[in-house]
Amino acid sequence: GENVEQHPSTLSVQEGDSAVIKCTYSDSASNYFPWYKQELGKRPQLIIDIRSNVGEKKDQRIAVTLNKTAKHFSLHITETQPEDSAVYFCAASPSSGYALNFGKGTSLLVTP
Amino acid sequence: DAGVTQSPTHLIKTRGQQVTLRCSPKSGHDTVSWYQQALGQGPQFIFQYYEEEERQRGNFPDRFSGHQFPNYSSELNVNALLLGDSALYLCASSFFSGSYEQYFGPGTRLTVT
């Protein structure tokens, strides 16, 4: 089955700096790659996603890049703010609406 | 427009007991997936229901079973509870013929003692 690895497990940055979280996946059939943000005690919230026919997608301060050849994708957050502090999960799915296979998460701390 | 809702919020059960968790999908969604999230881990896929049938199943024992009703709501049942079943159980809904996005409910925190 699909195996998603995520790094780093913890990340601490100063407010205003950029943060990068990286994931690799094993199943070449995966074609959908969402990122979720989970604040303490709350539900995972979809913040951005990318499909295999696109190499990069951006939404304001958040961007995701995908390298299908190398089977890795990354989340980039620019101009970080304290409210960006949360656990971020990457996931991969082989087809539309099927199971999401999650990484173990990255705990991001943005200090003022 | 209500999002995904789950009940109950918290539940405490004794080892060996049975539990039923409930999920109502986001309006317009017809597919429900269940995930188990242990403390400090990413969600793990249990199974997915569409048209009242189990469409895909993850690596969970038969003690975990589910059901989807005609109104698309769903139940997750766990029999013979083990201490290791203590976790946050998340329901996610999506639209089978639409986009890929899955939207999560707030979860049910299950504690097995």
Side-chain angles (χ1 to χ4, degrees), chain B residues 15-112:
Chain B
R15 190 171 45 185
Q17 287 188 317
Q18 179 263 343
V19 69
T20 297
L21 311 181
R22 295 175 177 83
C23 171
S24 291
K26 180 179 169 67
S27 177
H29 285 182
D30 56 10
T31 302
V32 173
S33 303
W34 286 92
Y35 293 82
Q36 180 195 65
Q37 186 177 24
L39 203 60
Q41 300 294 316
Q44 280 199 295
F45 176 75
I46 303 174
F47 42 54
Q48 184 181 84
Y49 277 84
Y50 170 67
E51 289 190 335
E52 302 179 50
E53 301 228 344
E54 185 182 286
R55 184 176 173 217
Q56 189 181 10
R57 187 179 183 92
N59 189 25
F60 278 79
D62 292 345
R63 298 186 297 109
F64 290 76
S65 63
H67 188 77
Q68 186 179 34
F69 299 94
N71 66 353
Y72 308 120
S73 67
S74 176
E75 288 182 349
L76 164 66
N77 301 291
V78 187
N79 294 323
L81 284 167
L82 304 174
L83 297 179
D85 294 332
S86 295
L88 179 68
Y89 288 85
L90 294 161
C91 162
S93 75
S94 54
F95 182 46
F96 179 75
S97 300
S99 59
Y100 294 67
E101 292 91 348
Q102 293 189 25
Y103 293 91
F104 283 87
T108 294
R109 172 71 63 187
L110 173 64
T111 302
V112 182

